[in-house]
Amino acid sequence: MRRPLGAAAAALSFLAPAAAAAAGFADPPPAPPPGAADAPIPIDALIEALLEEHRAQEADAVLASLLASDPRNTDLLFLSGMVAMERDDHQRAIRLFRAILIDHPKAERVRLELGRAFFVAGDYGNAARQFQFASAGHPPPVVQANIDKYLYAIRQAKALSYSLDLSLAPDSNLNGGSSSREVTLYGLPFDLSDEAQRHSGVGAQLGATGEWAPHLGANSRLRLGASLQRREYSGSRFDDMTAALYAGPRFVMRRWDLSLLATASRRWYGARPYDVAAGGRITATYYVTPQVGLTTDLSVQTVRYDAATHLTGLLSSLGETIVYALTPSSGVVGRAGISRTRARADAYANWSGYLAAGYFRDLPAGFSAYVETSLAVGSYDASLPAFGARRVDLASSTMINLLNRHIVLSRFTPRLSYSYTYQHSTIPLYSFDRNRVELGLTTTF
């Protein structure tokens, strides 16, 4: 019987035979029988023998020499990745396994080893993603059981996490303004103010989140998190920034994640304070299967506006999200939600809801694509006296996200995003359309 590739590989070595068969990898040729000294030794057998003798540096040199003449050989790249893991060079292993997946996105065995490399490197978000997609290939029970162990360990081990997005954002309607130059108030025409009219421009966008989650007990943690969202344009009239904080306990069970959080946020618009909010949120995720997660999010917060005090009130929302990994290289996302906004003026109190569906796929040449379409509706409680009508909005949106996993700058990869939104309103002032492009870098891929 063949032995595993070294001590460091042992954590997932028991996955190898079943996972390789499931992924379509051929079993390695057997070692030559005793007495066949002149028979060529298969490269995988040679590398295994060197690793068992703790000669990983020599194994690396052998593979480097072979790759110099055949740099796209997937078997050699895979063995090099395993040797890199043996040498605790986890980032190099990640690069090598990713290089294989660029041309072979359905290679489940490689996804398993990439997930393990991310796990050992402490990048739990990307590790979980790889294991979930590997689960979608319906591996044999022994493989799936160990994937489950890794996913549970990830949810318990994740203590420090962050994400960062930087982009340039050309926008055809950065303030969501009307294309009209004129508005009818109390039955009379008035010129629309410059700030209410449609404006286009190119801005810079920053999105950053971070969380520290120290242990409270065997299956619980304290979540302490912060986020910052900023869009900045020429001048400052339409700059938009929100800073948020949250804190509370998180309970981790075999199939459940439950967080009870206190939340607070501050928003600035046009370089001036706009609103402040405080409240609470309950987030619960149930893992129906390793590749299917269902998340429920309930939040209640009081929102106080600095200038537009007639908008001040209570905001309550309920959202559902389902993530389903269809295959080792594709998945779907479904989202739905409803919210209730109360305000001091009834004409600004409203009910709103949304539905969204998205599809993700890893493509050849290292590209990954995500397409989402959504529909949102908002219905207000009372008529706006100046317009003599009650506002009802219906908005549709389509978004396409494209990134290339082949290009990695430290932990960043390039991202290109395009979205189109059209909103129809019973009050024409609130009808608009918008094209938006984002070109930047992201740590989430």
Side-chain angles (χ1 to χ4, degrees):
M1 179 178 292
R2 302 290 299 277
R3 287 172 290 182
L5 291 173
L12 276 184
S13 61
F14 54 85
L15 299 177
F25 279 64
D27 287 333
D38 295 331
I41 301 176
I43 184 60
D44 61 322
L46 173 60
I47 298 303
E48 179 178 344
L50 289 172
L51 291 179
E52 288 177 345
E53 294 174 11
H54 305 289
R55 296 160 65 187
Q57 186 173 352
E58 292 179 47
D60 222 354
V62 170
L63 289 167
S65 175
L66 293 171
L67 282 168
S69 58
D70 192 4
R72 295 180 65 84
N73 186 303
T74 54
D75 292 330
L76 296 177
L77 289 170
F78 182 77
L79 287 171
S80 292
M82 298 298 289
V83 172
M85 289 294 291
E86 179 76 1
R87 301 187 68 182
D88 292 327
D89 192 350
H90 310 126
Q91 294 304 319
R92 178 166 171 258
I94 288 169
R95 290 194 298 271
L96 289 164
F97 294 140
R98 271 186 170 153
I100 300 172
L101 289 172
I102 285 169
D103 295 320
H104 305 280
K106 296 183 180 180
E108 295 171 31
R109 172 72 195 282
V110 181
R111 282 204 185 274
L112 290 170
E113 297 298 347
L114 178 57
R116 181 170 70 96
F118 275 128
F119 179 85
V120 177
D123 188 346
Y124 299 122
N126 277 319
R129 180 177 178 274
Q130 299 303 326
F131 286 130
Q132 287 165 347
F133 277 116
S135 293
H138 305 292
V142 64
V143 178
Q144 187 59 64
N146 286 284
I147 292 175
D148 293 346
K149 291 178 182 177
Y150 266 91
L151 289 171
Y152 184 53
I154 287 168
R155 289 163 50 213
Q156 287 189 312
K158 193 172 182 179
L160 184 65
S161 59
Y162 72 92
S163 66
L164 186 63
D165 286 271
L166 303 166
S167 61
L168 292 176
D171 197 322
S172 69
N173 191 355
L174 55 89
N175 61 326
S178 173
S179 299
S180 302
R181 297 284 181 179
E182 195 176 84
V183 63
T184 301
L185 301 175
Y186 300 103
L188 299 173
F190 290 87
D191 289 335
L192 200 61
S193 69
D194 181 63
E195 287 199 1
Q197 291 180 24
R198 177 191 190 116
H199 288 266
S200 61
V202 178
Q205 178 171 294
L206 165 68
T209 63
E211 179 176 301
W212 180 47
H215 276 289
L216 290 176
N219 296 306
S220 61
R221 288 181 176 271
L222 175 63
R223 295 182 63 185
L224 302 170
S227 66
L228 179 69
Q229 301 290 328
R230 182 173 178 83
R231 293 179 181 176
E232 186 163 343
Y233 303 94
S234 177
S236 60
R237 286 188 303 166
F238 305 114
D239 291 353
D240 196 349
M241 182 172 75
T242 300
L245 299 171
Y246 62 84
R250 174 190 177 207
F251 304 95
V252 181
M253 294 150 275
R254 279 289 175 183
R255 289 203 170 189
W256 283 95
D257 257 307
L258 176 65
S259 295
L260 308 174
L261 304 173
T263 62
S265 66
R266 184 57 157 143
R267 183 182 178 191
W268 294 261
Y269 188 77
R272 294 190 300 269
Y274 186 74
D275 68 42
V276 62
R281 186 170 84 237
I282 300 174
T283 301
T285 299
Y286 177 65
Y287 296 93
V288 183
T289 68
Q291 66 265 32
V292 181
L294 181 63
T295 299
T296 300
D297 196 279
L298 173 65
S299 69
V300 179
Q301 55 186 336
T302 298
V303 185
R304 179 179 61 79
Y305 291 82
D306 292 82
T309 55
H310 56 284
L311 299 176
T312 293
L314 190 70
L315 172 61
S316 307
S317 64
L318 174 66
E320 294 284 342
T321 301
I322 183 169
V323 179
Y324 182 16
L326 295 173
T327 72
S329 59
S330 66
V332 294
V333 177
R335 298 186 294 114
I338 186 171
S339 64
R340 172 61 174 164
T341 300
R342 298 189 181 276
R344 291 176 181 174
D346 289 343
Y348 295 95
N350 65 84
W351 286 93
S352 63
Y354 67 89
L355 291 170
Y359 176 74
F360 169 87
R361 188 171 187 86
D362 280 343
L363 303 170
F367 287 97
S368 294
Y370 179 73
V371 180
E372 181 178 283
T373 183
S374 62
L375 186 67
V377 62
S379 179
Y380 290 74
D381 289 8
S383 297
L384 283 166
F387 296 95
R390 185 172 64 88
R391 180 181 169 186
V392 178
D393 299 336
L394 181 64
S396 61
S397 182
T398 300
M399 184 266 287
I400 301 172
N401 226 350
L402 188 67
L403 57 84
N404 193 305
R405 307 178 312 280
H406 185 60
I407 306 171
V408 181
L409 309 172
S410 184
R411 284 198 60 187
F412 291 89
T413 195
R415 177 179 65 88
L416 175 64
S417 178
Y418 167 76
S419 63
Y420 174 74
T421 301
Y422 173 74
Q423 177 169 293
H424 171 75
S425 179
T426 53
I427 298 177
L429 175 64
Y430 299 104
S431 294
F432 67 90
D433 69 305
R434 183 179 193 178
N435 290 278
R436 181 177 177 83
V437 177
E438 294 180 21
L439 176 60
L441 300 170
T442 181
T443 60
T444 306
F445 58 99

